[in-house]
């Protein structure tokens, strides 16, 4: 027997002392005595990249996550050293690198306070099983430090005391403790001493995060391969951390406005007569709806890009007739391509060698809905181009308006690990690798290819794509939903948490399967879920046909009326949501904000879960228990108007709010101006000639914005938009609204119907652009109402005692 003691397990290995240092523009490279190399790149004053090598050299610097158009800038960049540290200083951060062991400490450069520090810091373990390193990082976790983000994890918002794994997984009927599930977003925000920082661990291998679970004062992250490569993002505001991360990994483009309307889906609506029955019932009952979905049964034997002509004999005609009624058709496309010599797409993929292969040469085969399938290697540019071209008929000729990518983890049936074996090989954009590295980005690259295909053939309209699997940066291409949930009250709670967490992780365009995918909800649960979903960016009912019907009219007239009420509210709020979406695409500001992001300085928000801010100014708290007549909720600091009663609540405390089945707690921040459309059965149904502005009085100053464009297409990118900024100034006896307009877009609307809430004085005079208006133009309807030209510059309401 031959033994070699050099192959015995070495355990953790650590960097030794620094022996060399070089600088190249905005990068600093440190080399240790035992060959570890640390490269620190300063992208902005608040954003540092840390990249470690244990071999003395780095692999090709390639990432699917990073936005190639990310703009770097740093006004100040200084380097000095003392006996113990190299010290890098920017306008926002001070980074100290230990000469002894490469450990890092990060400080606020303004006040010098500690933001984050290494515990053991970078270390690694040689894995002979995988033939490489397990790379590890551990940092100090302080008393009172909190953690948020990490994508669609189904547990509490605050990650403190939890451990998670990132390995995108088909997780049918998952629960609160199920991990991992559908997405791998290795980014979190830490909050310490009321200051926020973010860490993005850009490593696509199976990764792990421990937030002071194993050791109380340590948080750590590690990967089963690849590099220790992470970005440190400083706020100190939490929203600024998320904004910078979203810009680093890529902001999305504006969706068509209809994509923010209500969507109805089921596994499956077929044949055509059933689809038409559903859509005609929406119009008959006057329940607004913009999109109808076709699940896998529309295909011929589940073959992608085909139609079952028995169910849908003339798809182009059907899609056109649906469009004439205001319904946009969205069709599912999965990654598995059926092995079938008579199937053209299979033959094309085979002829061009587009499918994933095993390490020893044959194509990777797996069973999914069509039976035995091969799978395109979406990490290969020519495969993505081919895939995009396959949408010519579906989108460009038949007229389908959106595509829904499912099963793209990729999910494989009847195998223990639910996906490819590790030895499957991928091109990885000319960086060849195994599935161990490519698994977490496979679904992302499928969504990317789909996006480019839909974008090309929908032109001049905007694309709409949905994905189940995702990695950091996927928000550039697609919306998402939270996967195969269950029709129970726990999953209503989970849906609320997941959408908040995704927004905190840069992925705002998200929603859940309203009502639950598996099993059947009762009317009360469905109603409460619709109420929550009306305030999620992606608003879709979806269910498994095996468990019964789940349309808005399924649960009786009383429930139908309440559901209609909240769908109508969503359509009224579309201009508010669209404005928030524009702000997300321009500035990276999340559409949904957990209370901790809204007010991180109030420690009461750090463990609040149920309440969230929709856009910038609407506070929402879903009812999450059966038989409830109301609930307790936390109102953040400031003054808030009850949406239903106009009663003002002073924030910073928990209160009881009445909320029977036909309502839910909704509050509006004082000083806000909210634009509203009239109720439409679908986006574009009506020529909107007057827009409501709900004005919520505040003693003080507040700004609001309202963005408009053609609601589809790309004219807004060349200036054909209208961005209105409203400045509200409230005094004890005066209310002034000033408007600034930029952009060239002219809408159909000519007037604003201004409704003033909470005005504390009786109006004696109204000045519109310095001209006195007749007092008779004000109506007393429970709130004060006046109609004005939409291009006004200044509107002044004054009491008789005002002398200004």
């Amino acid at each position: 027997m031959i033994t070699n003691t050099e192959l015995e397990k070495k355990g953790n290995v650590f960097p030794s002392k620094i022996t060399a240092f070089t600088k190249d523009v905005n990068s600093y490279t440190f080399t240790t005595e035992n060959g570890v190399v640390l490269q620190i790149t300063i992208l902005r004053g608040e954003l540092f990249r840390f990249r470690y090598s244990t071999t003395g050299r780095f692999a090709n610097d390639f990432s699917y996550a990073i936005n190639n158009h990310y703009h770097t800038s740093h006004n100040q960049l200084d380097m000095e050293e003392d006996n113990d540290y190299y010290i890098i200083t920017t306008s926002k951060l001070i980074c100290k690198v230990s000469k002894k062991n490469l450990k890092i400490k990060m400080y606020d450069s303004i006040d010098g306070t500690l933001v984050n520090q290494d515990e053991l810091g970078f270390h690694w373990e040689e894995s002979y099983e995988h033939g490489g390193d397990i790379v590890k990082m551990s940092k100090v976790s302080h008393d009172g430090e909190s953690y948020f983000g990490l994508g669609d994890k189904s547990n509490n918002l605050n990650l403190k005391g939890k451990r998670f794994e990132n390995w995108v997984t088909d997780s049918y009927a998952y629960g609160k403790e199920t991990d991992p599930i559908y997405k791998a977003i290795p980014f979190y925000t830490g909050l310490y001493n009321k200051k926020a920082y973010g860490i993005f661990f850009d490593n696509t291998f199976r990764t792990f995060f421990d937030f002071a679970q194993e050791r109380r004062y340590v948080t750590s992250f590690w990967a089963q391969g690849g590099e220790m490569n992470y970005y440190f993002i400083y706020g100190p505001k939490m929203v600024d951390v998320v904004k910078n991360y979203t810009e680093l990994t890529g902001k999305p483009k504006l969706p068509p406005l209809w994509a923010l309307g209500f969507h109805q889906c089921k596994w499956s609506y077929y044949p055509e007569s059933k689809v038409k029955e559903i859509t005609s019932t929406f119009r008959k009952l006057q329940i607004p709806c913009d999109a109808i979905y076709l699940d896998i049964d529309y295909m011929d034997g589940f073959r992608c890009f085909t139609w079952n002509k028995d169910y849908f004999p003339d798809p182009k005609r059907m899609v056109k007739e649906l469009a004439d009624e205001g319904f946009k058709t969205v069709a599912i496309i999965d990654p598995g391509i059926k092995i079938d010599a008579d199937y053209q797409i299979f033959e094309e993929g085979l002829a061009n060698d587009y499918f994933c292969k095993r390490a020893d040469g044959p194509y990777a085969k797996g069973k999914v809905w069509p039976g035995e399938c091969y799978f395109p290697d979406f990490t290969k540019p020519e495969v993505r181009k081919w895939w995009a071209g396959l949408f010519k008929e579906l989108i460009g000729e038949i007229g389908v308006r959106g595509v829904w990518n499912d099963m793209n983890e990729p999910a494989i049936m009847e195998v223990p690990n639910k996906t490819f074996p590790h030895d499957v090989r991928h091109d990885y954009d000319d960086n060849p690798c195994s599935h161990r590295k490519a698994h977490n980005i496979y679904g992302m690259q499928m969504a990317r290819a789909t996006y480019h295909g839909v974008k090309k053939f929908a032109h001049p309209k905007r694309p709409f794509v949905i994905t189940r699997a995702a990695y950091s940066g996927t928000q550039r291409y697609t919306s998402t939903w939270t996967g195969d949930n269950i029709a129970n009250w726990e999953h209503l709670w989970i849906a609320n948490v997941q959408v908040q967490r995704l927004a905190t992780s840069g992925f705002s365009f998200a929603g859940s399967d309203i009502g639950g995918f598996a099993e059947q909800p009762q009317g009360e649960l469905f109603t409460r879920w619709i109420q929550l979903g009306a305030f999620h960016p992606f608003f879709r009912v979806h269910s498994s046909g095996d468990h019964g019907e789940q349309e808005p009219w399924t649960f009786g007239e009383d429930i139908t009326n309440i559901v209609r009420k909240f769908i109508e509210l969503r359509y009224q709020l579309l201009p508010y949501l669209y404005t928030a979406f524009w702000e997300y695409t321009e500035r990276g500001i999340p559409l949904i904000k957990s209370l901790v992001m809204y007010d991180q300085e109030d420690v009461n928000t750090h463990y609040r879960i149920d309440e969230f801010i929709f856009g910038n100014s609407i506070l929402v708290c879903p009812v999450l228990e059966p038989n409830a007549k109301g609930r307790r909720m936390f109102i953040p600091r400031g003054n808030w108007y009850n949406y239903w009663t106009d009663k003002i609540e002073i924030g910073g405390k928990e209160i009881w709010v009445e909320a029977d089945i036909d309502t839910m707690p909704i509050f509006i921040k004082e000083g806000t101006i909210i634009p509203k459309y009239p109720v439409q059965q679908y986006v574009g149904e009506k020529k909107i000639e007057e827009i409501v502005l709900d004005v919520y009085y505040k003693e003080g100053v507040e700004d609001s914005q309202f963005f408009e464009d053609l609601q589809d297409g790309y004219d807004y990118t060349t200036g054909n938009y209208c961005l209105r900024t409203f400045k509200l100034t409230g005094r004890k006896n005066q209310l002034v609204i000033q408007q600034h307009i930029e952009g060239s877009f002219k809408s159909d609307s000519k007037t604003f119907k201004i409704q003033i809430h909470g005005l504390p004085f009786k109006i004696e005079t109204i000045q519109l652009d310095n001209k006195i208006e007749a007092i008779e133009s004000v109506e007393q309807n429970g709130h004060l109402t006046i109609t004005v030209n939409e291009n006004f510059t200044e509107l002044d309401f004054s009491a008789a005692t005002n002398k200004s």
Side-chain angles (χ1 to χ4, degrees), residues 115-338:
V115 177
N116 183 260
Q117 69 183 102
D118 287 356
E119 186 248 355
L120 292 177
F122 171 64
H123 51 293
W124 73 99
E125 179 183 343
E126 295 185 2
S127 170
Y128 298 117
E129 176 187 357
H130 298 307
D133 293 338
I134 299 172
V135 293
K136 307 177 181 180
M137 174 61 66
S138 63
K139 293 180 173 288
V140 173
S141 180
H142 300 90
D143 282 334
E145 192 161 4
S146 294
Y147 306 96
F148 306 91
L150 225 61
D152 64 345
K153 304 303 185 184
S154 53
N155 214 302
N156 290 336
L157 280 179
N158 197 322
L159 304 168
K160 187 72 171 280
K162 306 290 184 180
R163 176 183 286 204
F164 298 97
E165 178 180 347
N166 274 348
W167 186 254
V168 295
T169 302
D170 179 9
S171 304
Y172 175 80
Y174 61 95
K176 184 178 178 182
E177 303 297 328
T178 305
D179 186 64
I181 51 177
Y182 297 100
K183 296 168 186 68
I185 302 181
F187 163 71
Y188 69 87
T189 300
L191 185 55
Y192 172 54
N193 273 343
K194 299 181 180 180
K195 293 183 176 180
Y197 64 88
I199 288 179
F200 169 41
F201 181 26
D202 189 8
N203 183 308
T204 63
F205 284 79
R206 191 187 296 260
T207 57
F208 300 83
F209 291 79
D210 186 298
F211 298 98
Q213 184 193 65
E214 181 178 345
R215 291 185 289 161
R216 181 177 176 185
Y217 294 108
V218 179
T219 186
S220 54
F221 48 94
W222 64 99
Q224 291 183 345
E227 286 182 358
M228 175 50 60
N229 170 34
Y230 75 92
Y231 295 79
F232 186 89
I233 308 168
Y234 185 45
K237 294 295 185 183
M238 191 172 172
V239 70
D240 291 327
V241 172
V242 177
K243 281 168 56 179
N244 222 325
Y245 163 79
T246 307
E247 189 170 352
L248 176 68
T249 57
K251 295 173 293 192
K253 303 297 184 184
L254 268 176
L257 183 62
W258 67 261
L260 302 180
F262 178 68
H263 300 201
Q264 183 69 37
C265 183
K266 179 184 176 179
W267 178 32
S268 289
Y269 288 132
Y270 69 91
E272 178 182 332
S273 58
K274 182 64 176 180
V275 176
K276 293 288 189 68
E277 175 191 335
I278 296 297
T279 56
S280 62
T281 305
F282 270 102
R283 297 296 180 247
K284 176 183 176 182
L285 297 178
Q286 293 285 285
I287 300 172
C289 183
D290 259 285
I292 189 75
Y293 282 62
L294 302 178
D295 209 321
I296 56 176
D297 294 283
Y298 82 89
M299 304 175 192
D300 177 14
F302 307 129
R303 295 168 182 83
C304 293
F305 303 100
T306 67
W307 290 82
N308 183 322
K309 291 304 179 70
D310 291 332
Y311 295 157
F312 300 99
D314 188 348
K316 184 174 183 179
R317 172 191 50 75
M318 181 192 73
V319 169
K320 169 66 165 57
E321 290 171 357
L322 291 171
D324 290 343
E325 295 297 319
F327 288 95
K328 296 80 183 172
T329 303
V330 180
I332 197 168
I333 293 288
D334 290 350
I337 300 299
K338 183 176 178 62

Side-chain angles (χ1 to χ4, degrees), residues 53 86 157 280 389 419 503 510 671 711:
S53 169
Y86 289 99
L157 280 179
S280 62
T419 192
Q711 304 177 358

Side-chain angles (χ1 to χ4, degrees), residues 563-581:
V563 168
R564 182 191 296 108
K565 169 183 171 180
F566 277 87
I567 295 176
E568 287 180 345
L569 176 57
R570 167 65 165 233
Y571 276 75
Q572 289 178 291
L573 290 173
L574 279 179
Y576 172 84
L577 174 57
Y578 195 59
T579 301
F581 213 115

Side-chain angles (χ1 to χ4, degrees), residues 149-153 157 183-185 187 242 245-246 468 470 475 480-483 495-512 584 590 592 594:
L150 225 61
D152 64 345
K153 304 303 185 184
L157 280 179
K183 296 168 186 68
I185 302 181
F187 163 71
V242 177
Y245 163 79
T246 307
R468 190 168 75 177
Q475 71 274 358
T480 192
W481 88 104
T482 58
N496 185 22
V497 168
Q498 285 180 305
V499 173
Q500 288 186 57
R501 194 191 302 286
L502 281 162
T504 304
S505 307
F507 209 145
S508 279
F509 198 2
S512 65
Y584 173 46
I592 297 285
S594 302

Side-chain angles (χ1 to χ4, degrees), residues 4-13 124-129 132 134 136:
N4 185 340
T5 56
E6 292 299 313
L7 295 183
E8 292 177 1
K9 182 176 173 62
K10 295 180 179 179
N12 288 327
V13 187
W124 73 99
E125 179 183 343
E126 295 185 2
S127 170
Y128 298 117
E129 176 187 357
I134 299 172
K136 307 177 181 180

Side-chain angles (χ1 to χ4, degrees), residues 635 639-650 653 655-658 666-670 696 757-758:
I635 307 290
N639 294 332
W640 297 81
Y641 286 78
N642 185 310
Y643 177 79
W644 308 105
T645 68
D646 274 356
K647 179 185 176 184
I648 295 176
E649 296 288 352
I650 300 172
K653 63 180 185 294
I655 64 169
W656 171 264
V657 181
E658 300 288 339
I666 303 171
F667 292 83
I668 312 297
K669 185 173 72 172
E670 66 170 356
Y696 291 85
H757 303 255

Side-chain angles (χ1 to χ4, degrees), residues 450-469:
T450 300
Y451 167 81
H452 285 296
V454 177
K455 182 179 180 181
K456 178 179 180 179
F457 296 110
H459 192 83
K461 303 297 186 181
R462 300 173 198 164
F464 175 64
V465 179
I466 317 165
T467 185
R468 190 168 75 177

